[in-house]
């Protein structure tokens, strides 16, 4: 009997230490959010956490709102905690290379998420095709107004996405510009993608332009709403087509009501799940198969580039509501600001 009790005790200890060892062997994945303002980020965090947990890992999250110094401090904290992989949504893609170097000095691999980190040896990059998003915006514009005066308002110049969107727009518009069908009155970048900056720039463009504006391609909701506010203030909302939306409550309501509006969507579940899989593969030293590479000023970074999709009345149920990006009841009950 004493031997049996001793055997049970030993067996219990073995189970305990085995479970501790399994917990210690969990891949620890850190993520740095450079902003958390847009609705997509909370959903993406949840999808990342869900998939990483499913694959036997653990996600540790740090968030800042556009503060580079705070993001670096948060990165240092995650690095010192011993994460295996660091996912970075950089505040500034031009300066976040210092975080990459610090992580690599501790043997930690780095994924740049949806925003390229320039001049650094990042291990992987995953994003949506900014070029394709820009092409979709330009195609929609010329289908509506194939000739006229255009204003092109891009995002923040430190964000590689803004540059890629610029390139996609110009790919479609340039032949029409060369043929003198489209005249570019103004094009430029919008600091921090900020709505107030977009409003200010649009007011000045309208004020100082000696020709009527037909189209403003504003490339993202924060810029689009800023441009729209200025256009409305000038009493020109029926004269100028302003496009460049991601799907939000107002845009989705317009789509359900049959209004003609362009919404270009990045399917967040897709990018989050793929990023989780890549993070676990890097953490466990597995080979990642990809044929895409993007040059960041220092190296050709192994990459996965996903295509955005246009949301319309035929696909909004599956692409937006079933994904959980926006709740349909919230859309139906939404009352736009007057």
């Amino acid at each position: 009997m004493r031997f049996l009790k001793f055997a049970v005790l030993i067996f219990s200890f073995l189970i305990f230490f085995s479970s501790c060892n399994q917990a210690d062997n969990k891949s620890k994945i850190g993520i740095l959010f450079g902003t958390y303002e847009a609705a997509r980020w909370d959903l993406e965090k949840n999808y990342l956490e869900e998939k990483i947990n499913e694959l036997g890992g653990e996600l540790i999250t740090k968030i800042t709102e556009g503060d580079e110094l705070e993001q670096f401090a948060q990165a240092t904290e995650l690095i010192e905690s011993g994460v295996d992989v660091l996912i970075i949504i950089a505040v500034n893609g031009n300066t976040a290379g210092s975080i990459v170097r610090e992580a690599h000095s501790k043997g930690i691999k780095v994924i740049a998420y949806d925003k390229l980190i320039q001049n650094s040896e990042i291990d992987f990059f995953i994003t949506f095709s900014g070029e394709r998003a820009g092409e979709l915006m330009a195609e929609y514009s010329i289908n509506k107004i194939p000739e006229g005066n255009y204003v092109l308002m891009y995002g923040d110049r430190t964000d590689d996405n803004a540059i890629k969107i610029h390139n996609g727009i110009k790919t479609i518009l340039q032949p029409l510009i060369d043929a003198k069908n489209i005249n570019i009155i103004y094009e430029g970048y919008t600091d921090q993608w900020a709505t107030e900056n977009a409003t200010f720039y649009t007011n000045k463009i309208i004020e100082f332009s000696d020709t009527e504006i037909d189209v403003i391609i504003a490339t993202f909701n924060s810029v689009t709403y800023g441009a729209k506010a200025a256009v409305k203030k000038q009493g020109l909302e029926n004269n100028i087509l302003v496009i460049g939306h991601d799907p939000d409550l107002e845009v989705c309501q317009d789509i359900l009501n049959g209004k003609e509006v362009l919404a270009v969507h990045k399917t967040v579940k897709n990018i989050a799940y793929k990023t989780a899989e890549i993070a676990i593969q890097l953490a466990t030293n597995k080979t990642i198969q990809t044929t895409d590479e993007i040059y960041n000023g220092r190296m050709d970074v192994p990459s996965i580039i996903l295509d955005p999709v246009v949301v319309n009345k035929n696909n909004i149920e599956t692409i937006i509501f079933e994904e959980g990006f926006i709740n349909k009841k919230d859309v139906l009950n939404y009352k736009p600001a007057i």
Side-chain angles (χ1 to χ4, degrees):
M1 180 63 72
R2 290 176 63 188
F3 175 78
L4 180 60
K5 287 182 178 178
F6 180 74
V8 170
L9 183 63
I10 292 296
F11 184 68
S12 299
F13 272 118
L14 287 173
I15 291 175
F16 173 76
F17 284 117
S18 174
S19 63
C20 288
N21 190 50
Q22 286 176 0
D24 289 342
N25 287 336
K26 265 191 174 183
S27 297
K28 291 173 66 177
I29 313 299
I31 184 166
L32 296 167
F33 284 91
T35 179
Y36 211 68
E37 186 177 2
R40 60 174 282 200
W41 294 122
D42 189 54
L43 185 62
E44 275 171 270
K45 181 188 81 70
N46 292 339
Y47 277 133
L48 277 163
E49 195 163 38
E50 176 183 280
K51 193 65 175 178
I52 286 170
N53 289 344
E54 178 189 314
L55 296 171
E58 174 190 3
L59 183 68
I60 306 167
T61 303
K62 298 291 181 183
I63 300 165
T64 186
E65 284 298 343
D67 188 325
E68 288 183 56
L69 292 178
E70 184 179 29
Q71 185 167 70
F72 187 82
Q74 291 173 343
T76 301
E77 185 179 342
L78 287 175
I79 290 165
E80 294 301 326
S81 75
V83 295
D84 299 296
V85 174
L86 188 60
I87 303 169
I88 304 175
I89 304 162
V91 172
N92 187 332
N94 290 330
T95 60
S98 58
I99 297 175
V100 179
R101 289 190 292 274
E102 180 70 16
H104 281 172
S105 73
K106 303 291 185 179
I108 297 167
K109 294 173 182 175
V110 177
I111 299 170
Y113 185 101
D114 204 31
K115 187 173 187 177
L116 188 62
I117 299 174
Q118 302 289 344
N119 300 303
S120 60
E121 296 181 358
I122 50 179
D123 298 281
F124 209 88
F125 177 47
I126 183 163
T127 189
F128 286 92
S129 173
E131 285 94 345
R132 185 59 188 143
E135 289 169 0
L136 291 169
M137 294 175 199
E139 287 167 357
Y140 181 88
S141 300
I142 62 176
N143 283 335
K144 294 293 178 187
I145 303 177
E147 297 182 3
N149 298 314
Y150 276 52
V151 169
L152 308 179
M153 299 181 68
Y154 311 117
D156 191 286
R157 68 179 65 251
T158 69
D159 189 337
D160 186 67
N161 287 314
I163 297 167
K164 293 288 195 299
I165 291 171
H166 158 273
N167 294 342
I169 290 171
K170 282 309 212 38
T171 296
I172 301 300
L173 293 188
Q174 196 60 53
L176 295 171
I177 295 170
D178 294 341
K180 309 297 185 186
N181 292 331
I182 288 177
N183 175 41
I184 304 299
I185 293 176
Y186 169 88
E187 66 175 317
Y189 291 88
T190 308
D191 294 342
Q192 299 180 332
W193 302 81
T195 299
E196 60 271 23
N197 291 335
T199 301
F200 176 80
Y201 297 153
T202 306
N203 274 322
K204 292 300 180 185
I205 294 163
I206 294 171
E207 181 182 344
F208 290 107
S209 176
D210 56 2
T211 56
E212 292 183 355
I213 299 168
D214 298 299
V215 178
I216 298 175
I217 302 180
T219 69
F220 182 67
N221 278 358
S222 57
V223 182
T224 305
Y225 285 132
K228 277 189 169 181
V231 168
K232 186 175 182 179
K233 183 180 178 181
Q234 302 281 350
L236 297 171
E237 59 265 41
N238 294 323
N239 303 88
I240 300 175
L241 174 67
V242 183
I243 68 156
H245 288 290
D246 281 25
D248 61 9
L249 290 172
E250 184 172 339
V251 173
C252 288
Q253 190 176 79
D254 286 344
I255 291 171
L256 288 178
N257 290 336
K259 292 184 181 179
E260 291 197 48
V261 58
L262 174 71
V264 178
H265 181 53
K266 301 174 177 180
T267 49
V268 296
K269 185 175 184 179
N270 193 9
I271 191 172
Y273 271 25
K274 285 190 179 296
T275 302
E277 291 166 359
I278 292 163
I280 296 298
Q281 286 176 306
L282 287 174
T284 53
N285 297 311
K286 291 181 180 173
T287 302
I288 301 169
Q289 300 295 332
T290 181
T291 56
D292 288 321
E293 291 181 335
I294 292 180
Y295 185 66
N296 72 344
R298 185 178 181 88
M299 62 176 287
D300 291 318
V301 181
S303 305
I304 289 178
I305 305 168
L306 307 170
D307 278 333
V309 295
V310 172
V311 182
N312 55 46
K313 200 168 184 177
N314 296 324
N315 63 17
I316 191 171
E317 290 283 348
T318 54
I319 290 178
I320 300 298
F321 301 142
E322 289 181 15
E323 183 187 56
F325 185 74
I326 288 177
N327 186 288
K328 187 174 182 178
K329 285 185 179 179
D330 292 338
V331 172
L332 295 173
N333 294 329
Y334 176 72
K335 298 186 185 304
I338 298 174

